[in-house]
Amino acid sequence: MSPKKTSAIDEAINALLDWRARNELTQREAADVLSAGYFHITYNSLRSWEAGYRRPAAYTAKILLRFLRDHPHVQKRTLRG
């Protein structure tokens, strides 16, 4: 049996989970950081993606992956206050 190929969408969600854990961000904080970095996402969308209730469009997943790769580490002071 051949290994299942991971889609760009699955890769983006996994990268988002890893990025959030690495930066010790809550879902709400992560949504704020992403939005401040010109990747507009709502807390509800992020939560739904991570829970598997919804999935981003393929082009959105590619943009998200690029953002996460370009910004592997963020500081909480990046958050809007």
Side-chain angles (χ1 to χ4, degrees), residues 6-72:
T6 304
S7 72
I9 295 170
D10 293 332
E11 184 180 351
I13 299 303
N14 290 334
L16 176 60
L17 290 165
D18 291 342
W19 176 84
R20 207 165 62 72
R22 183 173 54 251
N23 287 287
E24 298 178 350
L25 298 171
T26 65
Q27 289 175 330
R28 191 169 303 280
E29 290 170 337
D32 287 344
V33 169
L34 290 165
S35 292
Y38 304 105
F39 183 87
H40 180 71
I41 184 171
T42 65
Y43 161 71
N44 287 333
S45 290
L46 186 142
R47 187 176 58 148
S48 294
W49 292 354
E50 288 189 358
Y53 298 128
R54 296 182 60 224
R55 293 167 54 88
Y59 66 89
T60 302
K62 289 177 185 177
I63 294 168
L64 176 60
L65 273 173
R66 178 177 290 158
F67 181 91
L68 297 176
R69 288 178 182 152
D70 289 348
H71 303 90

